[in-house]
Amino acid sequence: MSKQLYKVFDEVEFKAQLLAKYWNNFYTEISEHLPDTYQPEMQELSIKLDEALSNLVDQLRNPTLTLATTGTTSSGKSTLVNLLCGAEIVPVAVSEMSAGAVTIEYSKEKSLIIHETPGALWECGEWRGITEDRIYQRLYQVMISYIENREKQPNLACPQSTIFYPFRLVKESKLELPQGTRVKILDLPGLAYVGDRGNADVIKQCREALCIVTYNSAETDAHKVKSLLQEVVQQVKDLGGSPARMLFTLNRIDVFRADGKNWPETENRFVEKAIGDIKNELTEQLKEYTEDIEKLQVVKLSTWPALLALQIQNNDDIYSAEACKKADNNFNGLINEDILEVLPRNVQNWSRHDRNRVAEALWQESYAEEFQQHLKQHINQHFPQLVIPQAIERFNVAAANAVAEWAVQTTTAILSSSEEHYQQECEEISRIRSSLELFLEDSDTKLKKPFEQIDAKFKEVIEKKSEDDLVFYLQKTLKELQDVEPYKELGEKLYPLYGWSRELSRGIKQVLESVAESLEKGQILVKNPNLKKADDSQVQLLESNLKRLINLGYTASAARDGEIREARTDEDKKNLELLNQALNDLSKHLNLVMKDILKQISNQEIERMYQAVVELFNCHLSHLEKGANNHAPNIIIRFPESQLIRVKKELSFSLSFESGFSITEGNWEEESRIFWHWLGLVPKYEARSSDNATIPSTENLLKNWDSQVKLAEPDLVKQIASWLLEQIDCLKKEVHKNQNDILDRYQARLDKAHQEITLDYEKQKNVWQPMERKAQELAEEFGVLGKLLKNEDENSSGK
């Protein structure tokens, strides 16, 4: 979007104001030819239009820009927040530490609010006129208190804080926002905290935020890099919506300066590979956004030296000197040798000129200026899309659609109100009703067909009349739907409706691979991002159990290949009994951990399904509206998405499974039955003797999990198909009612005109035919408003 950002908003406001003027002119002219009985309805329309216009203008002049920051482990996310603020006010978290969700709202006055949260063990309250250092210290104490007590109190709510601060992003970045824009930076907690209910509410606020996702470029360990890529995907899924509104930042990029003269080549290779890996991983797991992912913006940055560059220029000499010392100790590689050669060895002796030269070098070499320009472009491109379409939709629903409908229907009704034409028009309305009913019924049948086929196929599978894989059948059927007009334009948008199976299996596989690798290598490696979705205490119990198994010799080849053990001594028998118990405990601990993980994955996938259904229904409604207006060109039929698409978020994977294991050994016997009432996936184990036992390999020990998911799939597919059919029926009822209400209003306007308007040839020719043309033009002008932003985007992309 090439033009200045505020001008995009101004253009929409100008057009909306112009529409109100067009209506006022039309109102004045048509009033001269209408009986006074028309005035109440016209006045009501004018009042509603004025109110809707006032609300639209307010939303355009005073939008809220939210920048949400998130990132992978040790990616420098908190330092990025401080860079955006231009001051060190948010504690730099270590490893999985977090100060909770921190909202920073632009304000000329500084203040801090630490909100009351359930069980808070830290001081809550509001502090006005607070310094940057005191903000930092208070948040740091909150972070330490939360981390220290979280393990003891697993249900302790994550802290929630709000800072009001005159941050640099607004003051110095020249964003050219509408003057009344409210700007917020939302510093999200890490992956380990997304399960917290309070954080879930915060993350939901990010659905309409622009996001910056930071990636740790300094990590070189292949295993950890793979984990980081998974973290990126999880962050994107948690934020929800299209990755297009996310700016990906390869932070700590200065690490490649250690490669001597070859650093530019090394850095470029890394950047190219990292961008490719991130895009491939996102495309693999978020296929519905394939096109958006291809256009992702990925930028380089080193947040710490960039922040130091700002701090060095601080007017406080002591504060500036501290930043100079940090820069001298850590980032000489970013400072040109010509500058280093003339700098005094003691940073206290650096002149203001020296400091400015160092600051400028750090700013440029850390890619801070490039990042700032990319961020500005990102905001210019995506911020209007987050605000304007929704504002226009509300304006249309509140008044604009009704004004356009009244103008066209009233003039058409008057032209058809004579005795000669009235009866014909009544018959035409009846014909239109029948025609539209057939059109809607046919469209509804086409939409429902694939889901009815899936429902029928489920019955065949249950009755053992078919051995088809229901998930594959679901995928095949939906792809066939996407080959039919008007659904071709959806591309991969429906992928979540069948991709959930792969994501459940992927999540299970990743966790089990971590467990198997830990046992085979004899060290605890359960750091997969999915494990961060589980309750901390349960993960700790799982880790303790793995350590116990390793200490009992279940590691290396014994774990990798399995073995047959014969216990001859009492000590051997005791150890074998302990190993038997530890293996069974592994099942119990995995059950509890997997329950949390599968619930989180399912919630993510269900949210994606909801979005897929919204995309499907949007496409369907667009087709219906176009077809309905072809059948009835002078009725002005609108199917507003915000009113008609009400996807009921009632889908849940709520099946029950019964499974368990029994163990018989010598003179003792134990029976254990486990029931899960959410998504119960419990692997079955063979009984083992404490005297002679076949010790299973990790592959055999863990392989049943995925097969248990497969057993659950038919019922899950049935649930999805039934839920979708219910949603389609609800949409059909809403569309049918909306359409009939519009036709009923036209019939009433025709009846009114027939009773109250006397139409002769001269009036028809000189008054009402021109008025009808003006009404059509007015309706077209109202329709153009929603296309302004789309046309701007097409022009900027060269389409």
Side-chain angles (χ1 to χ4, degrees), residues 9-183:
F9 288 79
D10 286 350
E11 185 177 338
V12 176
E13 179 184 336
F14 175 77
K15 181 62 180 176
Q17 298 277 16
L18 205 57
L19 289 176
K21 185 177 178 181
Y22 290 159
W23 163 249
N24 290 333
N25 291 341
F26 184 82
Y27 182 115
T28 301
E29 186 174 355
I30 199 172
S31 294
E32 296 174 2
H33 308 287
L34 288 173
D36 290 342
T37 54
Y38 278 79
Q39 283 299 314
E41 186 176 11
M42 293 170 65
Q43 289 171 0
E44 183 181 356
L45 286 171
S46 290
I47 291 170
K48 286 184 177 180
L49 185 61
D50 286 344
E51 290 176 353
L53 179 61
S54 177
N55 289 333
L56 175 62
V57 169
D58 181 64
Q59 292 167 54
L60 294 172
R61 292 182 182 178
N62 304 289
T64 296
L65 167 61
T66 301
L67 279 177
T69 63
T70 187
T72 61
T73 302
S74 302
S75 63
K77 174 179 67 73
S78 298
T79 308
L80 172 63
V81 172
N82 289 330
L83 177 63
L84 294 173
C85 292
E88 201 165 354
I89 57 176
V90 175
V92 177
V94 179
S95 185
E96 287 300 321
M97 294 174 73
S98 171
V102 180
T103 301
I104 308 160
E105 186 166 341
Y106 185 83
S107 170
K108 293 180 180 179
E109 304 298 325
K110 302 170 189 175
S111 63
L112 168 67
I113 301 173
I114 298 176
H115 301 282
E116 291 281 355
T117 48
L121 300 171
W122 44 85
E123 186 177 2
C124 301
E126 180 176 2
W127 296 268
R128 296 178 181 273
I130 190 171
T131 65
E132 289 86 350
D133 185 59
R134 291 303 299 156
I135 292 173
Y136 184 99
Q137 291 301 327
R138 283 198 172 275
L139 290 180
Y140 181 78
Q141 291 303 321
V142 168
M143 179 172 73
I144 295 300
S145 177
Y146 177 56
I147 296 301
E148 288 179 347
N149 289 284
R150 191 176 184 227
E151 292 183 9
K152 305 171 193 172
Q153 302 180 37
N155 295 323
L156 182 63
C158 198
Q160 308 281 330
S161 305
T162 302
I163 303 169
F164 294 91
Y165 189 82
F167 47 76
R168 181 181 177 280
L169 177 67
V170 172
K171 290 196 301 180
E172 300 176 30
S173 297
K174 299 177 183 178
L175 293 177
E176 298 171 330
L177 298 165
Q179 193 170 3
T181 304
R182 182 183 176 195
V183 184

Side-chain angles (χ1 to χ4, degrees), residues 378-392:
H378 189 70
I379 292 171
N380 285 352
Q381 182 179 358
H382 296 287
F383 181 46
Q385 288 287 357
L386 293 176
V387 175
I388 294 176
Q390 294 87 336
I392 291 174

Side-chain angles (χ1 to χ4, degrees), residues 13 27 46 60 64 97 103 119 129-130 152 174 204 212 288 304 308 362 415 429 445 526 560 562 571 624 637 737 756:
E13 179 184 336
Y27 182 115
S46 290
L60 294 172
T64 296
M97 294 174 73
T103 301
I130 190 171
K152 305 171 193 172
K174 299 177 183 178
K204 284 178 183 176
I212 305 174
E288 66 269 33
W304 190 17
L308 289 174
L362 290 175
L415 283 171
I429 292 173
T445 299
V526 285
R560 184 176 60 254
E571 184 178 356
L624 292 184
I637 297 175
K737 181 180 183 305
E756 300 182 14

Side-chain angles (χ1 to χ4, degrees), residues 445-463:
T445 299
K446 287 179 181 177
L447 180 60
K448 290 178 72 172
K449 182 179 177 182
F451 306 109
E452 289 174 336
Q453 289 174 334
I454 293 162
D455 201 47
K457 178 61 69 174
F458 170 80
K459 293 174 183 174
E460 291 179 13
V461 170
I462 291 302
E463 294 171 2

Side-chain angles (χ1 to χ4, degrees), residues 194-377:
V194 296
D196 182 276
R197 182 174 297 175
N199 286 333
D201 293 338
V202 172
I203 289 170
K204 284 178 183 176
Q205 296 176 27
C206 298
R207 297 293 188 263
E208 301 203 354
L210 295 179
C211 306
I212 305 174
V213 182
T214 57
Y215 178 86
N216 181 10
S217 303
E219 185 55 72
T220 57
D221 180 89
H223 186 276
K224 291 181 180 177
V225 168
K226 184 178 178 181
S227 181
L228 288 182
L229 288 170
Q230 288 303 313
E231 281 192 41
V232 169
V233 175
Q234 294 306 320
Q235 299 282 8
V236 172
K237 285 183 176 181
D238 285 328
L239 291 169
S242 171
R245 65 193 174 87
M246 302 172 194
L247 181 65
F248 288 77
T249 304
L250 302 179
N251 195 22
R252 304 180 70 187
I253 199 72
D254 60 281
V255 70
F256 296 101
R257 298 297 179 112
D259 202 26
K261 292 181 180 180
N262 295 325
W263 74 262
E265 184 182 343
T266 307
E267 181 184 286
N268 288 336
R269 279 202 308 270
F270 165 78
V271 170
E272 186 176 338
K273 185 177 186 305
I275 291 174
D277 289 345
I278 289 170
K279 287 185 175 181
N280 289 339
E281 204 67 42
L282 286 172
T283 302
E284 173 66 20
Q285 298 190 47
L286 292 159
K287 291 186 186 296
E288 66 269 33
Y289 295 117
T290 299
E291 290 184 17
D292 292 341
I293 292 168
E294 208 38 56
K295 303 173 195 171
L296 275 186
Q297 289 292 308
V298 183
V299 298
K300 298 180 286 187
L301 181 64
S302 289
T303 50
W304 190 17
L307 179 60
L308 289 174
L310 298 178
Q311 293 173 332
I312 287 170
Q313 297 175 76
N314 194 287
N315 291 327
D316 185 326
D317 282 340
I318 297 176
Y319 188 74
S320 173
E322 289 177 357
C324 288
K325 186 175 182 179
K326 291 175 184 176
D328 189 44
N329 290 338
N330 296 281
F331 297 109
N332 273 342
L334 298 183
I335 304 170
N336 192 293
E337 287 186 10
D338 293 342
I339 299 174
L340 289 173
E341 286 174 358
V342 299
L343 285 175
R345 188 69 197 94
N346 189 337
V347 296
Q348 297 291 343
N349 297 326
W350 289 6
S351 68
R352 182 54 63 176
H353 175 68
D354 292 333
R355 296 182 186 193
N356 287 341
R357 291 183 72 196
V358 169
E360 184 178 350
L362 290 175
W363 185 256
Q364 294 301 327
E365 296 302 316
S366 65
Y367 300 105
E369 187 60 34
E370 289 182 29
F371 167 76
Q372 188 165 280
Q373 291 306 313
H374 274 98
L375 179 58
K376 181 178 178 180
Q377 292 169 13

